[in-house]
């Protein structure tokens, strides 16, 4: 027999990782197909309105993969801007959000209860999902990351006023600039990072 019980566990984890990567590639392929079929519909109209809203701020889109991690990838992109050696990635941002929500449960539980039935493990279950899944994030996670990183997060969209979260941290560095799209992909909502327009 070879090498004890560790080999099986490693190969099982590797298979699980490979299966997850294949699922994400398939999801991206479906998104691409949906996008190709969408044509100049709601997406194109939304992009025109968003571009007009971004022009006065001298910002443009920096496209982020649509894989369920788009909010976290967009924030990691912004946190790492200007730091080529940065090790920040979407996992770091997911962990940051989950840890902040856990440590400030009283601030977040009322919002969770508005969307979920109460259970003893609700907060931990939600935080585990934030930290370990590819479930997309929204305003709760933006709020958690703004406070955890002590940075102002600005969310631009085509159909709503600029949303600033963590405005009290404006002096701690440049705003983390995001674009929120309702119609970017046919399969749902999406976040992109924003960069200075050339």
């Amino acid at each position: 027999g070879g090498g004890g019980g560790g080999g099986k566990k490693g190969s099982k984890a590797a298979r699980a990782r490979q299966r997850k990567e294949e699922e994400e590639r398939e999801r991206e392929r479906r998104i691409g197909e949906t996008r190709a079929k969408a044509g100049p519909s709601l997406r194109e109209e939304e992009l025109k309105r968003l571009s007009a809203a971004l022009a006065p701020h001298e910002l443009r889109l920096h496209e982020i993969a649509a894989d369920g991690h788009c909010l976290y990838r967009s924030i990691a992109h912004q946190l790492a801007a200007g730091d080529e050696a940065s090790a920040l990635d979407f996992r770091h941002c997911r962990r940051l959000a989950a840890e902040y929500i856990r440590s400030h449960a009283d601030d977040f539980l009322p919002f969770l209860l508005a969307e979920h039935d109460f259970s003893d493990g609700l907060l931990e279950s939600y935080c585990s999902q934030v930290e370990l899944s590819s479930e997309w994030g929204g305003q709760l996670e933006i709020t958690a990351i703004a406070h955890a990183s002590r940075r102002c997060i600005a969310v631009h969209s085509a159909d709503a006023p600029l949303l600033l979260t963590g405005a009290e941290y404006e002096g701690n560095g440049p705003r983390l600039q995001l674009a929120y799209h309702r119609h970017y992909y046919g399969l749902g909502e999406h976040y992109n990072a924003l960069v200075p327009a050339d």
Side-chain angles (χ1 to χ4, degrees):
K8 274 192 169 185
K9 201 173 213 175
S11 63
K12 187 175 184 179
R15 284 192 306 272
R17 229 182 352 267
Q18 184 178 6
R19 191 169 43 254
K20 180 78 173 157
E21 288 170 5
E22 288 170 8
E23 288 170 3
E24 286 190 19
R25 279 194 297 276
E26 174 60 19
R27 181 169 186 252
E28 285 190 42
R29 186 193 63 73
R30 286 193 324 267
I31 288 170
E33 280 180 6
T34 302
R35 186 177 182 185
K37 292 177 189 173
S41 60
L42 295 171
R43 178 182 189 273
E44 295 298 325
E45 294 302 315
E46 181 181 45
L47 282 173
K48 276 189 219 168
R49 291 190 311 276
L50 181 59
S51 291
L54 293 175
H57 301 282
E58 299 181 347
L59 295 169
R60 66 174 174 80
L61 292 179
H62 173 84
E63 194 153 338
I64 299 293
D67 60 1
H69 304 294
C70 61
L71 170 66
Y72 306 100
R73 288 184 192 279
S74 295
I75 292 173
H77 173 273
Q78 294 290 291
L79 285 169
D83 183 2
E84 298 305 319
S86 176
L88 293 176
D89 68 1
F90 72 90
R91 290 174 206 84
H92 168 82
C93 291
R94 281 186 170 279
R95 193 168 37 259
L96 199 61
E99 288 172 359
Y100 190 87
I101 292 169
R102 279 185 189 107
S103 64
H104 296 83
D106 291 345
D107 295 334
F108 290 91
L109 202 51
F111 298 99
L112 294 177
L113 291 172
E115 294 187 18
H116 305 277
D117 292 332
F118 177 77
S119 70
D120 284 339
L122 173 62
L123 186 80
E124 184 49 40
S125 171
Y126 186 84
C127 290
S128 292
Q129 180 178 327
V130 167
E131 192 168 9
L132 304 171
S133 79
S134 62
E135 184 72 22
W136 77 281
Q139 189 57 40
L140 281 183
E141 293 77 24
I142 289 171
T143 300
I145 294 170
H147 290 298
S149 65
R150 303 184 62 76
R151 295 288 292 279
C152 178
I153 299 177
V155 179
H156 301 259
S157 67
D159 301 315
L162 177 65
L163 175 62
L164 296 179
T165 303
E168 62 268 35
Y169 306 123
E170 287 269 22
N172 293 352
R175 288 178 178 172
L176 308 180
Q177 304 275 6
L178 310 180
Y180 168 75
H181 308 269
R182 291 184 63 210
H183 305 291
Y184 202 70
Y185 293 111
L187 298 178
E189 301 160 15
H190 183 66
Y191 288 93
N192 276 316
L194 295 172
V195 294
D198 296 330

